[in-house]
Amino acid sequence: GLSPLVAAMVRGPKKHLKRLNAPNHWMTGKLGGIYAPKVSAGPHKARECLPVVIIVRNRMKYALTRTEAQAICMQKLIKVDGRIRTDINFPAGFMDVVEIEKSGDRVRLLYDTKGRFVLHPVDKTEAGFKLGKVVRKELTKKGIPVLVTHDGRTVR
């Protein structure tokens, strides 16, 4: 038989997320299935973001199922911050602009008073810029100041 030490070893990071362990601000129902979408690695932390599939399916109501949301993403119809995203588990976070050009919908992710994400509609000019919180300031080896924002962008 296997020793308890061997049975406890796992290969790599967890690939699944149970629905009850998903963040509450996603507002996925307790009885809506066993699993919730597991966020991919990206610019925002897993607990401080909303996967694209939840935005398309649960919030904007463009899809009824995960498979339909996947089909919408794979047609390259979804843009996050002006870049096409085909990964339905891509983390969209605070101040990100999610855009669906075919329908003309543009929304910015903001928090409401209870700390949940709200999709705030924006026009094309407002979708062009984004506020970023400076997380880190440092100097390069040649003395050039560099800023790092909350979503992983670097500004020289």
Side-chain angles (χ1 to χ4, degrees), residues 13-69:
K14 290 183 182 173
K15 301 221 184 290
H16 292 77
L17 177 68
K18 293 278 181 97
R19 203 165 201 72
L20 291 175
N21 296 335
N24 288 335
H25 64 80
W26 288 7
M27 294 189 286
T28 54
K30 200 161 55 167
L31 305 173
I34 298 168
Y35 295 103
K38 174 110 167 133
V39 182
S40 303
H44 298 279
K45 294 178 180 171
R47 291 270 169 204
E48 298 168 10
C49 70
L50 211 55
V52 170
V53 63
I54 287 189
I55 296 170
V56 172
R57 181 185 65 191
N58 299 24
R59 300 293 179 87
M60 292 177 130
K61 306 278 195 237
Y62 278 118
L64 292 172
T65 62
R66 182 185 184 279
T67 316
E68 287 179 13

Side-chain angles (χ1 to χ4, degrees), residues 74-118:
M74 293 317 264
Q75 291 173 36
K76 300 187 175 183
L77 300 175
I78 308 282
K79 284 185 177 180
V80 178
D81 282 340
R83 300 185 71 175
I84 294 169
R85 300 292 179 187
T86 55
D87 178 18
I88 61 169
N89 295 323
F90 182 82
F94 182 61
M95 294 302 285
D96 282 358
V97 175
V98 179
E99 185 176 354
I100 301 174
E101 273 189 31
K102 220 169 194 181
S103 66
D105 280 359
R106 278 178 213 86
V107 292
R108 188 181 297 274
L109 271 82
L110 299 171
Y111 292 117
D112 67 358
T113 52
K114 292 187 177 180
R116 299 173 301 209
F117 276 112
V118 65

